[in-house]
Amino acid sequence: MTSSRKKNAVTVLGATGSIGDSTLDIIAQHSDKFDLFAVSGNQRIDKLAEICRRFKPIYAVTVDRLAAECLEKRIKLDSLDTKVIYGEVAFHSVCSHPDVDVVVTGIVGAAGLLPTLSAIDAGKKVLIANKEPLVMMGQSIILRAQASGATLVPLDSEHNAILQCLPQRERLDLPEKSVSSLLLTASGGPFRTFSKVELAHVTPAQAIAHPNWSMGTKISVDSATLMNKGLELIEACILFSMHPSDVRVVIHPQSAIHSMVEYIDGSYLAQLGSPDMRIPIAYGLAYPERITSGAEKLDFTKCSPFEFEEPDLDRFPCLRLAREAAEAGGIAPIVLSAANEVAVGAFLNLQIRFTDIPTVIEFTLDTIDMISDGSVEQILSVDEEARRLSKGLIERQFSG
Ligand code: NAD
Ligand code: MG
C-alpha cells in the first residue's frame, strides 16, 4: 500500500560538506518521507556527482560555470535527469521554488546569506546550520520570517537543544517570560588546557582535530578559538530574543549536554545526546514530530563524570570579542564575522598564527567606520569593508 501523505521536497545547500553528509544520511534513512529537490556544492564536484547518482535530485547547483560544466559532463555520463544550474539566480530558484518544502542551509560563512534569505522570504521551513547569515542580519531575519510565514529551525546543536527545552510554540522568537537565561555549552575545543605560549604555536592540523565533533574546517577552527561559541551567543540572542547578558557560556568537555534553559523558578531543562549532528537534523526535518536519526545512544557510564568550567577569556579572547559585539549591536556582529572568516582563512594558509586571529578581528572592529540601515546591500558593504581592512592588516603586519 502506498502512503497518501506527500513527501517533503528538500533543498540541501552545501550538500558536499559535513552538514550535507549528515542531512543526506537522514534523508536516505527516511526516503518514504523526504525527496531531494536540489543540492548545491562549491568545489568538490566529484562528491556532488556522486550525490546526484545516489539521490537523483531534480537540480544540482554550483557556484560558477566551470564547476557546472564539469558536473554536467559527469551527469551525462551517468545518464541522469538532474539539471545542472549555477550562480546567484540558480541558488535563489532552488531555495524559493514553489515545489520546495524545506531548505537546509549547510553553506559555510557569509556566502550563505543570499540563499538563506531567498528561502526565508519564500516562506519555507528553513533548517539553519549556516550561522553566519543570522549573525550578519540580526533581528531583521526574524522579522522577515514573520512576514513570509517561514518556519526557522536551528540545527546548531546548542540552539536545537534550547528549542527542544522550550515549551512547544509556533514561533521561535516570542520572549518566554518564564525563561531567565540560556546556557550554551562548549566542549572547549582541542586547546582547552593549552597555555597562551602553547597556543601561539598550534598548527591548522591540530586546530581542525576537534575532540568530540567531526565538522568542516572553518567551524573546527572557530571551535578551537571559541569564536564558534561567540557566534552562537549572537545566534541565540537573535533566535530566542534574549539579551546577551542572559546567555551564558559554560565549558562542558564531555559534549553530552548540548545546552540548557534556566527557568525563573530555578529549574534547568537540558537536552542530551551523543555528539552527532544527525540528531538535531532529524529533529529539524521532522519538526515538530520526531523520527529516528541512527545516532549512537549516549552511554552515561562512558561520558561521566560531567564537568563544567568557566571559559577563560584571557586565553580565548574571541569569545570576549563576540560578547562585546553582541552587546554593541549595529554593525559589530557583521564585522566580527567577516574579519573572523578572513583571519581563519589566513591561519589555515599559514599566513598568521592561531593567536593572531583575535588580533585581526579586534583591529577590524576598532578601525571600521561605517553605519548600516540594516538593508542587505549595506550589510554586504560592511562585510566587504571588514574583509578589506582585515586583509590589509594581514598583508602589512604578518606577511613576509
Ligand atoms: P563544510 O566546510 O564541511 O561544508 C561547507 C559547504 O559549503 C560545502 O558544501 C561547500 O561546497 C559549500 N560552500 C563553500 N563555499 C561556498 C560558496 N562560496 N558558495 C556556495 N557554497 C559554498 O562546513 P560544515 O561543517 O558543513 O558547516 C556548514 C555551516 O554549518 C557553517 O556555517 C557551520 O558553522 C554550520 N554548522 C556546522 C556544524 C557541523 O557539525 N559541521 C554544526 C553546527 C553548525
Ligand atoms: Mg554548535
Side-chain angles (χ1 to χ4, degrees):
M1 205 170 79
T2 51
S3 162
S4 59
R5 282 183 74 176
K6 179 185 161 287
K7 288 196 211 177
N8 279 294
V10 185
T11 285
V12 181
L13 301 173
T16 54
S18 161
I19 289 291
D21 284 342
S22 301
T23 306
L24 295 175
D25 186 277
I26 302 290
I27 291 177
Q29 289 181 52
H30 296 280
S31 55
D32 57 324
K33 294 187 174 65
F34 305 105
D35 260 338
L36 203 54
F37 179 83
V39 289
S40 83
N42 186 18
Q43 281 168 344
R44 300 169 71 187
I45 296 308
D46 282 355
K47 187 161 178 188
L48 202 52
E50 181 53 42
I51 292 169
C52 292
R53 224 181 345 264
R54 183 159 171 225
F55 289 90
K56 304 186 172 50
I58 300 175
Y59 291 100
V61 186
T62 64
V63 176
D64 57 51
R65 187 167 59 86
L66 221 60
E69 283 171 3
C70 185
L71 181 63
E72 181 95 57
K73 281 190 197 131
R74 307 285 302 269
I75 300 263
K76 282 217 175 98
L77 274 178
D78 292 330
S79 312
L80 300 173
D81 292 331
T82 300
K83 296 182 200 68
V84 180
I85 52 179
Y86 67 91
E88 212 174 290
V89 177
F91 275 92
H92 173 74
S93 66
V94 296
C95 292
S96 58
H97 195 286
D99 291 350
V100 171
D101 302 298
V102 183
V103 176
V104 179
T105 72
I107 292 175
V108 59
L113 176 68
L114 296 179
T116 302
L117 291 180
S118 298
I120 290 176
D121 291 344
K124 304 299 181 191
K125 176 172 165 180
V126 190
L127 310 190
I128 300 187
N130 184 197
K131 64 194 85 183
E132 294 88 349
L134 283 188
V135 169
M136 295 168 78
M137 291 294 295
Q139 210 58 38
S140 68
I141 210 158
I142 303 293
L143 300 177
R144 287 173 93 120
Q146 283 170 3
S148 70
T151 305
L152 305 185
V153 184
L155 296 186
D156 220 339
S157 58
E158 295 75 6
H159 308 77
N160 193 275
I162 290 166
L163 180 65
Q164 295 195 41
C165 296
L166 291 174
Q168 284 283 342
R169 52 184 202 204
E170 300 232 317
R171 293 197 327 226
L172 283 176
D173 64 305
L174 296 177
E176 184 54 61
K177 297 264 183 299
S178 55
V179 170
S180 51
S181 72
L182 303 178
L183 276 94
L184 296 179
T185 52
S187 68
F191 308 136
R192 182 172 62 87
T193 57
F194 280 40
S195 69
K196 267 176 139 174
V197 176
E198 287 171 318
L199 286 174
H201 301 288
V202 299
T203 63
Q206 284 175 292
I208 59 179
H210 196 278
N212 304 340
W213 296 92
S214 155
M215 308 181 285
T217 322
K218 192 251 177 189
I219 185 177
S220 296
V221 176
D222 286 349
S223 299
T225 59
L226 291 197
M227 178 54 93
N228 183 48
K229 215 46 55 180
L231 296 173
E232 289 180 356
L233 163 70
I234 300 171
E235 185 184 2
C237 294
I238 296 163
L239 286 171
F240 303 111
S241 299
M242 297 296 284
H243 190 271
S245 59
D246 294 328
V247 183
R248 288 159 53 197
V249 172
V250 61
I251 304 289
H252 165 51
Q254 289 71 30
S255 294
I257 299 176
H258 297 308
S259 276
M260 295 181 250
V261 176
E262 181 195 41
Y263 286 85
I264 49 173
D265 60 2
S267 296
Y268 291 82
L269 295 194
Q271 185 262 352
L272 288 79
S274 51
D276 185 331
M277 285 305 290
R278 290 179 302 173
I279 299 176
I281 292 170
Y283 183 80
L285 281 169
Y287 182 82
E289 290 163 25
R290 285 189 190 261
I291 53 174
T292 55
S293 70
E296 255 184 56
K297 293 200 191 311
L298 196 59
D299 185 339
F300 285 92
T301 58
K302 288 201 180 123
C303 61
S304 61
F306 282 178
E307 296 165 289
F308 302 97
E309 56 192 60
E310 281 291 328
D312 181 344
L313 300 187
D314 187 38
R315 282 183 303 131
F316 298 99
C318 284
L319 181 55
R320 170 181 60 78
L321 292 172
R323 186 174 283 287
E324 286 168 6
E327 273 158 13
I331 66 163
I334 312 169
V335 177
L336 176 95
S337 182
N340 179 55
E341 262 194 66
V342 171
V344 169
F347 167 65
L348 290 169
N349 286 334
L350 306 172
Q351 287 170 278
I352 63 172
R353 291 174 307 175
F354 183 78
T355 41
D356 296 327
I357 295 174
T359 311
V360 171
I361 299 167
E362 191 153 25
F363 163 85
T364 312
L365 282 161
D366 290 346
T367 312
I368 199 159
D369 182 20
M370 283 179 90
I371 47 166
S372 158
D373 61 7
S375 67
V376 178
E377 292 71 27
Q378 289 206 4
I379 287 171
L380 288 173
S381 350
V382 172
D383 174 85
E384 198 182 317
E385 175 63 2
R387 283 168 199 269
R388 194 185 66 78
L389 290 169
S390 314
K391 284 179 191 156
L393 177 73
I394 292 167
E395 272 157 30
R396 281 196 310 279
Q397 201 155 320
F398 300 105
S399 295

